[in-house]
Amino acid sequence: MKRVGIIGAGTMGTGIAQVAATYGYRVKLYDAKASALEHAKDSLRSILARLMEKGKITPSARLDILTNISFVTRLGDLEDSELIIEAIVEDLNVKKGIFTELDNCVSNNCIVASNTSSLSISSIASAFKRPDRCIGIHFFNPAPLMRLVEIIPAVQTSIEVISKAEKIIQSWGKTVVRAKDTPGFIVNRVARPFYGEALRIYDEGIADVPTIDYSLKKLGGFKMGPFELMDFIGNDVNYAVTESVFNAFFCDPRYKPSFTQKRLAEAGFLGRKSGKGYYNYDENAPVKEPIKDKKLNDQIFNRILVMLINEAADAVFWNIASSSDIDLAMIKGVNYPKGLLQWADEVGINWVVEEMDKLFDRYREERYRCSPILRDMLKDNKTFF
């Protein structure tokens, strides 16, 4: 029997448990707090009931999923798992503490994975006596709906573990991409300019929030504008990831956080979940219309697009992932309308280099340095695909 252990009964842990159980795995969902497990049970029953009502699953499938998941408060109950995925708070020391505890209660063949979105897998693995059995398996929220999973080997991870982990996750109906163990992996690294450059444009007073969002949706085909998406994610969560990536990259100015977002997070204006963020979600709040000016909208869209392309290209330059995996990750992980490197080929590498150089000439900031790979490709008349 295929057995999986999930550590952490929050939204992500419960979602991963649902995915594994749907594909016939026997799952043990662990949390030290019995109240968290009760909440997970109630949430899971509610989600499955809605899926059944909508005809997405049959009554027997609902029963099978519920039967496949057991809820435990002892870490030792995970001892017979062939794969354990940790999905707890984004705190390196807490995660390492859990991995150390697991040393005493899992088999030598068990794969131990972290669902961290940005922390070092190699550092987490160092807390385990068999670090070659450790790997990053990063799901996106909500786990049952989002197809993408990033697989991140630590420097210690064995080839056998990489292969086995990828096969298991693919058997759960997921699209797998492999990323180097660097801050943010693929998606949370490459997507930073979508938020960061939008905030920079706003902070400079070039345009207001609705106009920036309108420009990205109207001209780029993005389903949500950057401010809508930050409000959806939560300004506290989005800011924490930005700060984590910024610090992890030794304060590279490309990832510099915005004081605007920091202040909103400090004020409790977290977005949809608090009722107010960049937008006011009170039903009686006035709706501000965007400025629909072609020159302004083009300026906003082009600036954010070229920064996104530059970031994706730089990920290729530093061997974070392959060009195809980067584009696949951005489409499947954050619903971009197309891959950024495909976009680069379409608009022209020469345009990308010229636009990056214009930004650098204006600001003279390292934030706007053009990736060397783009200059090389322009010189050699190459494209990504």
Side-chain angles (χ1 to χ4, degrees):
M1 181 61 70
K2 302 171 181 178
R3 300 183 185 276
V4 172
I6 308 294
I7 298 175
T11 302
M12 180 58 79
T14 304
I16 297 171
Q18 179 187 331
V19 172
T22 299
Y23 284 87
Y25 276 69
R26 298 304 298 266
V27 181
K28 289 181 180 176
L29 181 58
Y30 161 83
D31 202 292
K33 296 179 180 178
S35 59
L37 292 174
E38 284 302 317
H39 183 269
K41 282 182 192 176
D42 293 340
S43 175
L44 192 58
R45 289 191 187 106
S46 177
I47 289 168
L48 294 176
R50 287 199 300 272
L51 290 174
M52 192 174 70
E53 288 169 8
K54 293 177 180 178
K56 301 287 186 180
I57 60 172
T58 64
S60 62
R62 172 183 173 274
L63 183 61
D64 286 343
I65 294 168
L66 291 172
T67 302
N68 282 341
I69 302 175
S70 57
F71 301 83
V72 300
T73 54
R74 286 183 61 255
L75 204 58
D77 288 334
L78 307 183
E79 61 184 356
D80 60 349
S81 302
E82 66 173 275
L83 169 65
I84 293 175
I85 303 175
E86 162 274 309
I88 58 174
V89 64
E90 282 287 276
D91 183 302
L92 182 60
N93 290 328
V94 175
K95 290 180 184 291
K96 290 175 78 170
I98 282 288
F99 272 57
T100 299
E101 285 187 62
L102 285 170
D103 254 330
N104 302 316
C105 59
V106 298
S107 73
N108 290 330
N109 295 321
C110 179
I111 296 173
V112 183
S114 174
N115 182 62
T116 180
S117 61
S118 60
L119 298 175
S120 165
I121 302 300
S122 300
S123 181
I124 295 170
S126 71
F128 198 67
K129 288 180 182 175
R130 291 152 288 170
D132 61 303
R133 308 295 304 172
C134 300
I135 196 166
I137 300 180
H138 178 221
F139 288 78
F140 290 79
N141 202 20
L145 297 180
M146 300 302 288
R147 290 284 304 278
L148 185 76
V149 176
E150 292 176 322
I151 299 292
I152 310 98
V155 296
Q156 308 98 311
T157 310
S158 72
I159 294 173
E160 173 210 350
V161 166
I162 298 170
S163 176
K164 187 174 180 181
E166 288 181 337
K167 286 177 182 176
I168 291 173
I169 302 304
Q170 286 170 338
S171 76
W172 296 354
K174 297 299 183 183
T175 298
V176 167
V177 293
R178 191 184 298 185
K180 192 175 181 179
D181 185 16
T182 54
F185 314 133
I186 299 173
V187 172
N188 278 323
R189 172 187 181 146
V190 174
R192 298 269 54 86
F194 190 69
Y195 316 111
E197 205 58 28
L199 282 159
R200 176 69 181 253
I201 290 168
Y202 172 78
D203 286 340
E204 288 183 27
I206 294 171
D208 60 17
V209 165
T211 302
I212 297 169
D213 278 353
Y214 169 82
S215 301
L216 270 293
K217 291 191 293 182
K218 179 68 175 178
L219 300 178
F222 289 90
K223 293 181 180 178
M224 298 178 78
F227 293 99
E228 289 174 325
L229 187 52
M230 285 186 281
D231 269 0
F232 180 78
I233 295 169
N235 276 304
D236 52 341
V237 175
N238 190 262
Y239 177 80
V241 173
T242 299
E243 187 177 48
S244 171
V245 171
F246 176 64
N247 290 331
F249 272 108
F250 310 113
C251 301
D252 187 324
R254 283 204 318 220
Y255 310 108
K256 186 178 180 180
S258 164
F259 277 114
T260 293
Q261 188 172 41
K262 182 175 173 63
R263 295 294 179 256
L264 285 179
E266 290 171 341
F269 295 164
L270 308 181
R272 286 187 174 274
K273 62 186 176 184
S274 68
K276 188 175 183 181
Y278 299 104
Y279 294 95
N280 189 336
Y281 295 93
D282 187 292
E283 60 182 19
N284 298 316
V287 177
K288 188 175 182 181
E289 292 297 320
I291 297 171
K292 298 178 182 179
D293 176 86
K294 187 177 187 307
K295 183 178 179 181
L296 176 61
N297 299 147
D298 283 346
Q299 177 191 355
I300 293 165
F301 169 65
N302 288 338
R303 179 166 165 175
I304 294 174
L305 176 63
V306 78
M307 289 292 282
L308 283 166
I309 290 173
N310 190 60
E311 192 62 44
D314 215 45
V316 176
F317 178 72
W318 290 108
N319 295 305
I320 305 306
S322 67
S323 298
S324 56
D325 271 5
I326 289 170
D327 271 9
L328 187 61
M330 302 313 291
I331 293 169
K332 299 291 187 182
V334 276
N335 291 318
Y336 278 17
K338 67 177 76 174
L340 293 168
L341 301 174
Q342 176 193 339
W343 223 328
D345 286 348
E346 290 177 5
V347 298
I349 303 299
N350 59 326
W351 179 85
V352 177
V353 173
E354 286 172 6
E355 290 299 309
M356 286 303 302
D357 285 347
K358 285 178 187 176
L359 287 168
F360 185 81
D361 287 344
R362 179 183 178 191
Y363 293 104
R364 295 294 175 178
E365 294 179 36
E366 282 295 297
R367 175 188 184 91
Y368 298 108
R369 66 187 184 271
C370 181
S371 176
I373 196 173
L374 291 167
R375 295 196 189 282
D376 291 343
M377 291 172 71
L378 179 60
K379 179 183 174 182
D380 298 333
N381 195 30
K382 289 184 176 179
T383 57
F384 285 102
F385 299 105

